[in-house]
Amino acid sequence: MSSRPTTFPLMRLLLLNAGFFGVQYSFGLQQSNMSPIYSYLGADHASLPYLWLAGPVTGLVLQPLVGAISDRTSTRWGRRLPFIVLGALVCSLCLLTMPFSTALWMAVCLLWVLDAANNVAMEPYRALVSDVLTPEQRPLGFLTQSAFTGLGQTLAYLTPSLLVWFGMDQDAANSHHIPYVTIAAFVIGAAFSAGSILLTARSVREPQPTPAERARLRQGGQGLGAALREIVCALREMPPTMRQLAPVMLFQWYAMFCYWQYIVLSLSTTLFGTTDPASHAFRQAGLINGQIGSFYNFVAFVAAFAMVPFTRRFGPKPTHAACLTAAGIGMLLLPVIQDRWLLLLPMIGIGLAWASMMGNPYLMLAERIPPERTGVYMGLFNLFIVLPMLIQILTLPLYFDRLLGGDARNVIRLAGALLLAAAVSMLFVGVQRVRAPRASAARSSAGAGYPGVEERR
């Protein structure tokens, strides 16, 4: 890392993570609105996963690459902030354009650019938090990220309902059937995305590289080729904890993609007995999804801070397993609840898991990777998110009709079972600690090698 991290006061720690509010507001808009937008533009239910391909593919390609490049970047603005700001600004432009899509292909293309921009901003942002915080502050730092994730997505889900409450007509739509409340929510999201990232950029200064680090950067080379070589080397020397987390990530992210894609269709079927996108009931189901989604994200916002003492006392491993169990039970209950207010009960478990997903796995990883490779390993860890999503996209349509009966409610039940499987898999994750290399070895290697690890169950 550039120089010795210092302890941040609480206000500066909040400003450091403020940009996560805008980035996650954008993600929340995607999660709650892309399937309805696709439906308004004529997509059929079985093909919905294919239309979500942009996120996994752009994450698969961009996050490791951007992470490796940012590790080797040196500018007067820092090595992470240029990527964060550029990604957020492009994201804002896409959010402004998305609800004005005139055809399905246009919305799909815009989602590709939007997800690419989000990925360019996201990975360096996680690395930035690890860069500038002391090990003692990292639990609070990463769980503060979870809190801003919950807050941003709470408002993203709730914004359409708030606009209706303030007087907008939920059935008023443009010529392509996209409601005006959705259009307004995306415009608001564009402002939040740009504004919150710029607030962080103005408030947090990255430490400048030391002479030794500048020498290491010159020795390691610059450009795309050097970044690709670093990715290959990091894959060979991947920490054991990272490998052991792979099944957990597979189950939990396959489940979450199932939930985001089919929750509106599931609610519309359970509560109103229809999946007709032109009906008032379908739009009502979309608003209800926004309300319960905002509730689980608010739970995540509160739980992220409340989870800090539990994580410090019991560790991130049992904490994450417990949260996944609560979410799995909640998902299994969702398709049988016909009272819209009782739907809030399973959202508590989903909110706990969402807060934990955004913090605890990254905390486990940050404590077990060499500082000079924070960017590339945070990017590679994102593969454990996007690959499950990619697998879900390619496999779910193959058995949606045959095994799940073409019923969105069964997709939600599948998500619940997978979250319980993720909780069980968490029990098999060992705890590794990076051994600090001896001073002489550290000076001679200049960050070229990966410190050994000690493992304990």
Side-chain angles (χ1 to χ4, degrees), residues 376-398:
V376 67
Y377 273 123
M378 287 293 181
L380 287 174
F381 194 54
N382 187 66
L383 298 184
F384 293 176
I385 299 176
V386 299
L387 284 176
M389 292 179 175
L390 187 59
I391 293 170
Q392 188 266 359
I393 285 171
L394 296 177
T395 58
L396 185 61
L398 301 179

Side-chain angles (χ1 to χ4, degrees), residues 149-162:
T149 296
L151 181 61
Q153 295 197 8
T154 295
L155 291 179
Y157 274 86
L158 194 57
T159 296
S161 293
L162 289 175

Side-chain angles (χ1 to χ4, degrees), residues 340-384:
R340 60 188 297 179
W341 296 112
L342 289 179
L343 290 170
L344 298 179
L345 292 177
M347 292 299 112
I348 296 174
I350 295 172
L352 289 173
W354 188 233
S356 187
M357 287 179 195
M358 293 293 101
N360 283 316
Y362 295 96
L363 174 59
M364 295 178 70
L365 181 64
E367 293 177 345
R368 296 162 181 90
I369 57 178
E372 68 274 6
R373 283 183 169 174
T374 298
V376 67
Y377 273 123
M378 287 293 181
L380 287 174
F381 194 54
N382 187 66
L383 298 184
F384 293 176

Side-chain angles (χ1 to χ4, degrees), residues 104-126:
L104 185 60
W105 67 265
M106 181 177 176
V108 172
C109 290
L110 281 171
L111 184 63
W112 277 83
V113 181
L114 175 61
D115 275 324
N118 270 328
N119 278 298
V120 168
M122 178 63 70
E123 191 288 324
Y125 209 145
R126 295 197 187 280

